[in-house]
Amino acid sequence: MRPEIPGLKPANPPVLPAPQKADANPAHRPAISQSPRKRVRRGPPNLQIKAPDRDWKPRWPGDADKGPTDPAAARQEEKAPTTVISWRGAVIEPERDTPLPSRNAEASTKRASPEARTQKVPASPNQRQQAVITAFRHAWKGYRKFAWGHDELKPLSRSFSEWFGLGLTLIDALDTMWILGLQKEFKEAKQWVSQKLNFQKDVDVNLFESTIRILGSLLSTYHLTGDSLFLEKAEDLGNRLMPAFKTPSKVPYSDVNLGTGIAHPPRWTSDSSVAEVTSIQLEFRELSRLTGVEKFQEAVQEVTQHVHSLPSKKDGLVPMFINTHSGLFTHLGVFTLGARADSYYEYLLKQWIQGGKTETQLLEDYMEAVKGIRTHLLQQSEPSKLTFVGELAHGQFRPKMDHLVCFLPGTLALGVHHGLPAEHLELAKALMETCYQMNRQMETGLSPEIAHFNTYPQGKLQDVQVKPADRHNLLRPETVESLFYLHRLTGDPKYQDWGWEILQSFNTHARIPSGGYSSINNVQDPDRPEPRDKMESFFLGETLKYLYLLFSDDADFLSLDAFVFNTEAHPLPIWTPA
Ligand code: DMJ
């Protein structure tokens, strides 16, 4: 039975289709001709690898026979204060050995699970969606020609860079191609996955990044296509990531070697980022549900439970680092919704949604965090009174907001779609306007990586100020991601218009004529935006996907009642409510 939360508006139950059924990127450390588009039939085929158990439920540590075994965790649990939610009274350069793809797509591999999530055939793309398809094809043209099978395109040098050596862009873009109806491109990419993708490789990968981008995309593509190839690859990767959890605290190390199974923290610390260890849950839980192998979800639920029990939060806000040995938060007293903490908040809500809104603790933590944001991090800028989310460092407020924080309006809106209070939508709308202005007030129309807000009336100063070190744009998705949710929630076409402006700006300032798009150094100089020679995989995995979905008026396509998007924009099914 689902626990009732007093005051919670009953939400539409997620509908399962009938049974056919802080980041660690180094960049953040510092046309195929378009033929007339045929109507593409999307939707899953038939078969089955292993049917997910429809009654499958996440197992929380302590649910059954086992509790936390780590003494530090146990100590912290003893001391942990009771979470109180008061919301409306509720308690609640590498090898160049990969050949170009063959023009012949391989024969279809065996088909998979009847439990793969079905999709209605979407309407034919409208004009704006066609423009996204054109942008995708241009990006793909560069990747295919100069970086095929490698991680990231360097569009200016017409080359590539490796991070994990796993064809990151190709994998991250798989479900986008499916969604955009790019059958030919999808088939070529699938052939590469089938023939070339090999996780038995002596390579260190970042647990979080490989989970959200690779595992997430493989699972999502499995659902959209019903093709067991993608689930097999996902399970192989999941197994190889598991050694990361073998730490004294069970809070995972940041890195793991896929070939040797040796996991380790970064060289300079034994800490992991809080966002990284708490934003792998959607994917590992889904992998368990699909395979019936519980160890994946057990490992991540243990982390969730442990982080839930930790002290040193501030009204639901978490520090940015956690030690893998002690299991305790470190670098205490600094609170941000930006890098290294961002998706912790996102995954509280999204796991609650994924699990059919049964795991009340997740909702409680989310609601408390939203309250904490309101209390400690919200201020208004001058002269336009834009509501922004700043940072708190040892009691001092800093009017600094990463573009990464622009995921928040979308997440708040998603919560409202699932029954959370309307006041969250009001906050979402205000923050959405701010994120739009972070783009609009720049000469290129593209947001800087970090904005500083002017909080005192000072002559002609604009609201958004940018420091020279922060004026780059990495083709990030967060603004358009939130525009997508805000449009779905409100139907207000202004959100589509704002997204359209941003797409134009990418085309004007980041498009490289020979193929691909590039991150740029200076969003304030439209004459010399200085391309940085890198196309991030999330430009194809997220940014263009969210733009395409934003421009659609079909709310049933990838319905928010049937799917929840992971933090890399890969849609995963919402489980049947209990
Ligand atoms: C993506 O990998 C994900 O959206 C992640 O949550 C944050 N960083 C990038 C995009 O900005």
Side-chain angles (χ1 to χ4, degrees):
M1 212 173 96
R2 286 204 280 159
E4 288 295 320
I5 299 179
L8 182 62
K9 186 178 128 206
N12 297 333
V15 183
L16 262 186
Q20 324 121 334
K21 193 187 162 203
D23 69 47
N25 189 326
H28 318 151
R29 298 171 249 152
I32 290 167
S33 64
Q34 190 177 345
S35 52
R37 191 159 172 280
K38 293 195 195 108
R39 194 173 167 82
V40 176
R41 180 163 178 78
R42 298 185 188 85
N46 300 319
L47 295 175
Q48 159 99 15
I49 290 189
K50 180 163 189 178
D53 179 357
R54 292 174 66 88
D55 296 325
W56 189 87
K57 286 205 182 59
R59 257 185 72 192
W60 290 87
D63 266 4
D65 43 358
K66 65 187 188 111
T69 49
D70 173 47
R75 275 198 306 281
Q76 290 200 4
E77 279 189 1
E78 276 166 29
K79 285 191 269 165
T82 317
T83 307
V84 177
I85 300 290
S86 60
W87 154 65
R88 289 192 186 165
V91 178
I92 46 173
E93 242 108 308
E95 358 152 35
R96 285 181 177 269
D97 60 353
T98 313
L100 268 176
S102 145
R103 295 207 161 266
N104 304 321
E106 66 178 320
S108 179
T109 57
K110 58 189 158 155
R111 295 296 173 84
S113 170
E115 296 287 342
R117 181 59 54 96
T118 57
Q119 269 303 275
K120 234 178 54 176
V121 178
S124 301
N126 58 37
Q127 223 182 341
R128 286 180 171 181
Q129 288 181 299
Q130 285 290 359
V132 178
I133 290 171
T134 301
F136 185 98
R137 283 196 158 129
H138 183 75
W140 195 246
K141 172 183 159 184
Y143 177 76
R144 185 178 181 279
K145 203 162 169 194
F146 306 121
W148 184 256
H150 298 285
D151 282 343
E152 290 151 331
L153 169 67
K154 295 178 73 171
L156 277 188
S157 46
R158 302 184 188 187
S159 172
F160 58 86
S161 55
E162 295 291 31
W163 185 8
F164 307 145
L166 293 172
L168 189 62
T169 296
L170 186 151
I171 300 176
D172 215 355
L174 282 168
D175 57 359
T176 307
M177 288 184 266
W178 182 264
I179 289 164
L180 269 54
L182 300 175
Q183 279 192 324
K184 180 169 151 267
E185 291 83 349
F186 179 82
K187 278 182 185 165
E188 278 187 347
K190 180 185 136 182
Q191 185 179 36
W192 185 89
V193 170
S194 159
Q195 295 177 356
K196 302 283 178 191
L197 179 60
N198 179 9
F199 294 124
Q200 178 53 43
K201 229 177 166 175
D202 184 3
V203 60
D204 280 355
V205 301
N206 174 280
L207 171 68
F208 163 74
E209 298 288 0
S210 56
T211 296
I212 65 167
R213 299 189 197 210
I214 303 178
L215 186 56
S217 186
L218 291 170
L219 290 171
S220 160
T221 307
Y222 163 70
H223 277 292
L224 295 176
T225 63
D227 191 327
S228 63
L229 166 70
F230 300 105
L231 181 54
E232 284 158 14
K233 293 287 180 187
E235 188 172 5
D236 183 18
L237 177 61
N239 278 315
R240 291 169 187 278
L241 294 174
M242 287 304 289
F245 295 90
K246 286 192 189 141
T247 68
S249 66
K250 299 193 181 164
V251 171
Y253 288 133
S254 59
D255 295 275
V256 56
N257 187 298
L258 294 183
T260 65
I262 296 171
H264 60 88
R267 273 192 208 100
W268 57 90
T269 177
S270 54
D271 289 352
S272 289
S273 297
V274 170
E276 292 194 3
V277 303
T278 56
S279 312
I280 49 180
Q281 277 69 5
L282 291 177
E283 299 81 358
F284 275 74
R285 284 158 43 120
E286 177 62 7
L287 185 58
S288 276
R289 195 182 71 94
L290 288 171
T291 60
V293 179
E294 291 210 341
K295 67 178 176 188
F296 303 116
Q297 64 94 8
E298 281 173 358
V300 294
Q301 304 270 108
E302 187 121 17
V303 180
T304 305
Q305 197 59 25
H306 174 77
V307 171
H308 167 76
S309 73
L310 286 178
S312 309
K313 293 184 192 137
K314 191 175 182 75
D315 295 334
L317 304 178
V318 290
M320 297 149 75
F321 294 98
I322 186 165
N323 190 273
T324 50
H325 292 170
S326 69
L328 298 172
F329 289 131
T330 65
H331 300 75
L332 302 181
V334 180
F335 301 99
T336 175
L337 261 282
R340 301 194 181 280
D342 47 2
S343 43
Y344 161 75
Y345 303 101
E346 180 186 347
Y347 269 37
L348 288 175
L349 179 75
K350 288 184 172 177
Q351 286 181 83
W352 175 69
I353 293 167
Q354 178 190 44
K357 305 181 200 172
T358 58
E359 300 151 279
T360 313
Q361 175 192 298
L362 294 164
L363 175 61
E364 290 174 353
D365 285 357
Y366 175 74
M367 295 298 293
E368 192 186 10
V370 175
K371 238 181 84 188
I373 293 166
R374 281 187 188 279
T375 310
H376 301 290
L377 302 182
L378 281 192
Q379 279 204 15
Q380 289 199 324
S381 66
E382 294 291 343
S384 310
K385 309 266 182 244
L386 298 175
T387 302
F388 68 93
V389 182
E391 297 182 353
L392 196 66
H394 312 293
Q396 291 272 5
F397 182 81
R398 296 182 192 146
K400 161 181 179 279
M401 178 166 156
D402 295 352
H403 180 264
L404 286 168
V405 183
C406 289
F407 81 93
L408 186 59
T411 296
L412 288 166
L414 176 65
V416 175
H417 178 82
H418 285 282
L420 301 190
E423 67 203 38
H424 285 205
L425 186 57
E426 293 318 303
L427 178 56
K429 286 179 183 170
L431 291 173
M432 191 73 261
E433 170 75 33
T434 304
C435 289
Y436 171 58
Q437 291 299 334
M438 283 167 63
N439 289 269
R440 179 154 186 154
Q441 293 191 12
M442 297 302 112
E443 288 76 355
T444 56
L446 294 173
S447 170
E449 177 71 358
I450 301 173
H452 288 260
F453 285 86
N454 178 26
T455 47
Y456 299 99
Q458 301 178 58
K460 287 188 178 155
L461 268 193
Q462 289 201 119
D463 299 76
V464 184
Q465 301 296 311
V466 187
K467 299 195 170 169
D470 305 332
R471 60 191 183 195
H472 49 288
N473 179 294
L474 302 182
L475 313 174
R476 286 194 190 276
E478 288 77 14
T479 300
V480 297
E481 168 185 354
S482 284
L483 288 171
F484 157 68
Y485 286 109
L486 265 289
H487 178 257
R488 278 268 171 117
L489 258 283
T490 65
D492 189 335
K494 82 176 176 195
Y495 297 120
Q496 291 178 321
D497 296 341
W498 293 357
W500 181 243
E501 284 176 30
I502 291 172
L503 177 61
Q504 301 311 305
S505 296
F506 280 131
N507 277 328
T508 306
H509 302 291
R511 187 177 184 276
I512 306 298
S514 53
Y517 288 72
S518 174
S519 48
I520 58 172
N521 264 333
N522 191 350
V523 295
Q524 294 180 304
D525 189 344
D527 298 325
R528 294 190 55 204
E530 292 178 27
R532 292 167 73 128
D533 199 17
K534 178 146 165 156
M535 184 172 78
E536 299 279 351
S537 77
F538 51 68
F539 184 62
L540 301 187
E542 293 193 75
T543 309
L544 293 178
K545 184 190 291 154
Y546 280 129
L547 279 166
Y548 185 85
L549 294 174
L550 165 66
F551 297 146
S552 163
D553 288 310
D554 180 4
D556 291 335
F557 182 54
L558 294 174
S559 160
L560 297 179
D561 291 320
F563 289 93
V564 60
F565 289 82
N566 87 339
T567 192
E568 188 77 5
H570 299 303
L572 299 173
I574 294 171
W575 307 334
T576 314

